[in-house]
Amino acid sequence: MLPVHGPEIEGVEVSLPFTGLWRTENSPARRVPSHGTDLFGGRYAIDFTAVDERHRSAAGRSWRTFLAAEPPELFYAFGRPILAPAEGVVTAVHDGEPDHEARRSQPALASYALSQGSRLRRGVGAVAGNHVIISMTGGEVHLALAHFRKGTLRVSVGQRVVRGQHLADCGNSGNSTQPHLHMQAMDSSDLSVARGLPMLFRHYREWMSGAGGYRLAHRAVPHERAVVEPLQDN
């Protein structure tokens, strides 16, 4: 086990919104804006993909993995419960967007990239997919969680939620190439005008890519391609 770390930096303190092992993608620990853009309040956004004990996102590979699209059900993240990362009030929900096939192959990714412009023109729903926005206690910070599985939202606008409450199931809706969770903090619940805010995650275990052992972290940001597992608060 490597030493505990937790830099004394400013940010919105939240919990990892799931159980089990998930790999970090597009982490603001690597670059800001994390997704290469400030659009839709995503400056400090972070993505998580569920993995197994061998840190694989799907059980196996086939010819479709290399040449075509794949069913989202093949991926460990698809259908996994997503939990409220903090207490607050639900201020927006969106459902009804379809779950796409997943894309790992270069041919499938190339064709998907050509459709990016049309999704942006269709607006927030086509980009974020099925999503929930929570206004944290105090009303100055808003959390967006996106790409839920169609038809699995368990909360409604105006509902108060507590940390750890089941919000919906992970899916592959919106601008998503494989099932994952997109999470961000913002200064507004309106994604079209929101500005992103940095987040600090509460207690978790982190296996860094290419490093042996794990770290225990608190009030920190997971590194790019690290695998994380939430821990119970002390």
Side-chain angles (χ1 to χ4, degrees):
M1 184 179 72
L2 298 174
V4 173
H5 71 102
E8 293 302 319
I9 56 178
E10 294 298 320
V12 178
E13 188 170 315
V14 293
S15 295
L16 289 169
F18 42 69
T19 60
L21 302 175
W22 293 67
R23 185 170 58 236
T24 303
E25 313 280 358
N26 296 316
S27 171
R30 179 173 71 91
R31 67 170 182 174
V32 176
S34 59
H35 286 58
T37 178
D38 284 323
L39 284 175
F40 304 122
R43 182 172 180 81
Y44 299 97
I46 190 167
D47 291 337
F48 296 102
T49 302
V51 296
D52 65 3
E53 294 293 334
R54 296 170 58 185
H55 297 179
R56 302 176 303 172
S57 63
R61 296 174 180 268
S62 69
W63 69 268
R64 300 186 67 87
T65 306
F66 303 98
L67 298 175
E70 302 170 277
E73 292 84 0
L74 291 179
F75 292 79
Y76 295 122
F78 194 73
R80 290 279 295 273
I82 302 301
L83 315 176
E87 182 178 345
V89 175
V90 176
T91 52
V93 297
H94 181 79
D95 199 357
E97 302 290 336
D99 290 287
H100 312 298
E101 287 191 301
R103 294 166 170 81
R104 287 188 282 181
S105 71
Q106 288 304 313
L109 288 170
S111 63
Y112 187 80
L114 295 175
S115 63
Q116 290 283 61
S118 64
R119 275 190 297 277
L120 285 171
R121 288 191 292 273
R122 285 169 51 204
V124 169
V127 176
N130 306 315
H131 62 273
V132 170
I133 297 177
I134 298 170
S135 292
M136 292 179 62
T137 302
E140 296 180 357
V141 177
H142 310 267
L143 303 173
L145 298 99
H147 306 310
F148 291 136
R149 185 176 183 179
K150 180 181 177 181
T152 66
L153 273 69
R154 292 168 170 251
V155 294
S156 56
V157 172
Q159 181 176 342
R160 178 167 291 279
V161 296
V162 297
R163 189 188 304 269
Q165 183 172 334
H166 189 176
L167 300 176
D169 296 344
C170 187
N172 200 41
S173 59
N175 186 24
S176 177
T177 56
Q178 68 173 267
H180 76 284
L181 171 70
H182 174 102
M183 178 178 172
Q184 64 189 50
M186 314 165 291
D187 64 356
S188 171
S189 61
D190 183 349
L191 289 171
S192 65
V193 299
R195 293 180 298 179
L197 301 173
M199 294 177 290
L200 297 175
F201 292 90
R202 295 163 67 93
H203 306 284
Y204 62 93
R205 184 180 288 116
E206 176 181 25
W207 291 263
M208 294 180 62
S209 178
Y214 62 84
R215 298 177 187 267
L216 298 179
H218 175 59
R219 298 192 76 252
V221 181
H223 292 80
E224 183 81 6
R225 302 290 293 176
V227 171
V228 297
E229 178 183 29
L231 300 173
Q232 293 293 324
D233 288 345
N234 296 327

